[in-house]
Every structure is written in C-alpha cells, then in structure tokens.
C-alpha cells in the first residue's frame, strides 16, 4: 500500500515570497503523483501531475514540482506567491490506472499575508 | 458547463433521517468516486464505481449505499444519519491515470 506525508500542516508566507510545500510518499511500486488545490468552500482542482518523463513538472498558476525518486519526494514550489494562492493543498499518490483511486496527504494550509 | 456536479450543495438534517446526495459527470468517464472530507480536511475515498460496477468499498458503515443507475451518475444514500456523518462529501470522476475531476462538494450537517 502507498502512503503520503505532507510535512507541514500550515505554511504562512508573505506576498511575493517564494514557497515550498513538502510531500513525501512511500510505495513499493511505481506511482503517479499529483498536487491538488482546494480554495475555500470549493472542490479540488488539479495543479499538476507527474506520470513519467521529466522530473520537473510545471502546472497552473505558476506552480511547479520536482519528482525525486531517490528521496521519494514530490515538493511543490512557487517563486512568488499571491494573496489568491491562499488555499489548502493536497499531495496525492496513485499506483493504479485510475487517478481517482488516490491516497491523499493530510493537506497543507497555505496562507499568504500582505 | 459543469464537469462534475453534485446536489445539494448544503444539507442540514436531523439524526436518524435518511438522505441522498446526487452526482453527475458529463466527461464521459468510466469511473466515479465518493470521498469524505472531515472537519480537519482529511480526505478519504469511500467508494468507486467503474461502468456501474462497484470496484472499491473502503471501510464505510453499511448505512452508506452508493447507487449508479448509469456510468454518468453515482448517488450516495445514507440511512439513519449520525452526528459523526457530518462532513463534506465529494464526488469525482476519472478516466485512466490522468487526473480526477471533483465536484464542488456537499456539506452535510447532522443535528
């Protein structure tokens, strides 16, 4: 079975500062990795995904993540955050052929302050 | 045109009642899911249907029963509601390993 650990439950940052949200996973097989964002009172929206190929993945809203197989990590980064990036961020791992059957991390609350 | 839509968005009901949440997807996906998000925002899969057939049934009380009349719909019926059932329930759909598309959620409050 796979598991996901998001190392920070809350990350407060100032506007225009860089941010990194950390995610480690464990699995005995190859996996697919995802980052989702959940804005207040909304559903989850895909930010980016790693299926194969280049380990640096670019997503929407200026986010990117790097897959590191040796460290079993998939950290999410953004060089300069905006107030509108305030949201809950979920890392997820799937080993199956359906992305919906994913194991989600416990989430990281990103709060961007002016 | 909403890809995955759930109704209702909010549901307040008394303990012991029976309620249903409906979900429809217009993406043509074969697989649909129900997730539960608790008050601490932990997200956990409950059920998965593929082409109207149940393929995942996690440890969920049998008061929860999913029903899929066709592959575009997956409804969730809950009998004898309890206080602990209060949560946000998300419907999702996916096709292969690309990504899962989530509905806006149904906030269920049991009083």
């Amino acid at each position: 079975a796979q598991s996901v650990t998001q190392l920070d439950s809350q990350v407060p940052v100032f506007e225009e500062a860089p941010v990194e949200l950390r995610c480690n996973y464990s699995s005995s097989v190859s996996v697919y990795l995802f980052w989702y964002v959940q804005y207040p009172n909304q559903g989850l929206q895909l930010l980016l995904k790693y299926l194969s190929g280049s380990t640096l993945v670019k997503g929407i809203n200026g986010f990117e993540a790097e897959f590191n197989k040796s460290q079993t990590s998939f950290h999410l980064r953004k060089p300069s955050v905006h107030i509108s990036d305030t949201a809950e961020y979920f890392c997820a791992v799937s080993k199956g052929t359906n992305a919906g059957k994913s194991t989600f991390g416990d989430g990281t609350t990103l709060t961007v302050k002016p | 045109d909403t890809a995955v839509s759930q109704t209702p968005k909010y549901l307040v009901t008394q303990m012991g009642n029976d309620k249903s949440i409906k979900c429809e997807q217009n993406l043509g996906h074969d697989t649909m899911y129900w997730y539960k998000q608790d008050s601490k925002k932990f997200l956990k899969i409950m059920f998965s249907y593929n082409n109207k057939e149940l393929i995942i049934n996690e440890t969920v009380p049998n008061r929860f029963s999913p029903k899929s009349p066709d592959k575009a719909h997956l409804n969730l019926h809950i009998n004898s509601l309890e206080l602990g059932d209060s949560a946000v329930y998300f419907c999702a759909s996916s096709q292969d390993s690309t990504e899962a598309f989530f509905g806006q959620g149904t906030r269920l409050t049991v009083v």
Side-chain angles (χ1 to χ4, degrees):
Chain A
Q2 64 264 26
S3 67
V4 179
T5 303
Q6 291 185 239
L7 297 161
D8 308 292
S9 60
Q10 298 196 29
V11 174
V13 294
F14 286 104
E15 195 173 17
E16 297 183 6
V19 71
E20 177 180 79
L21 306 184
R22 298 180 293 166
C23 173
N24 284 1
Y25 70 94
S26 66
S27 176
S28 57
V29 298
S30 296
V31 294
Y32 306 118
L33 294 155
F34 307 85
W35 274 100
Y36 290 87
V37 59
Q38 183 180 26
Y39 298 107
N41 299 314
Q42 305 240 342
L44 278 74
Q45 178 184 359
L46 183 74
L47 271 180
L48 48 78
K49 61 193 176 195
Y50 172 79
L51 304 181
S52 65
S54 173
T55 57
L56 183 62
V57 180
K58 293 191 183 297
I60 62 171
N61 300 342
F63 284 93
E64 64 180 32
E66 183 149 22
F67 169 59
N68 188 320
K69 189 174 182 179
S70 61
Q71 296 186 4
T72 60
S73 67
F74 191 54
H75 300 334
L76 180 71
R77 301 186 184 99
K78 186 169 181 177
S80 175
V81 293
H82 303 291
I83 299 285
S84 59
D85 291 324
T86 295
E88 192 78 18
Y89 291 80
F90 292 94
C91 181
V93 60
S94 168
K95 67 172 182 177
T97 55
N98 268 304
K101 188 188 181 305
S102 294
T103 300
F104 283 79
D106 291 342
T108 297
T109 304
L110 175 64
T111 303
V112 181
K113 298 180 283 188
Chain B
D1 209 16
T2 306
V4 181
S5 59
Q6 302 177 223
T7 54
K9 189 170 183 179
Y10 299 97
L11 183 54
V12 181
T13 187
Q14 290 187 329
M15 281 174 52
N17 283 350
D18 303 339
K19 290 293 178 186
S20 291
I21 307 171
K22 295 185 177 181
C23 178
E24 176 182 3
Q25 55 98 1
N26 62 8
L27 299 166
H29 290 165
D30 288 334
T31 310
M32 296 184 71
Y33 312 82
W34 278 108
Y35 280 86
K36 178 180 180 180
Q37 186 175 46
D38 65 20
S39 58
K40 294 183 180 178
K41 300 203 174 178
F42 298 153
L43 198 63
K44 190 169 182 184
I45 192 168
M46 301 171 68
F47 300 103
S48 172
Y49 265 74
N50 183 273
N51 273 321
K52 302 194 301 176
E53 184 179 338
L54 180 66
I55 56 172
I56 295 174
N57 184 354
E58 297 294 327
T59 307
V60 176
N62 57 15
R63 297 182 294 103
F64 290 79
S65 54
K67 286 185 173 51
S68 182
D70 55 63
K71 77 171 194 176
H73 295 83
L74 180 62
N75 303 324
L76 183 64
H77 189 76
I78 315 170
N79 288 329
S80 303
L81 278 154
E82 300 177 357
L83 292 176
D85 297 331
S86 296
V88 181
Y89 293 85
F90 285 101
C91 177
S93 73
S94 71
Q95 186 79 7
D96 301 323
S97 61
T98 51
E99 69 180 274
F101 290 81
F102 285 80
Q104 294 294 294
T106 296
R107 184 174 295 276
L108 171 66
T109 304
V110 183
V111 298

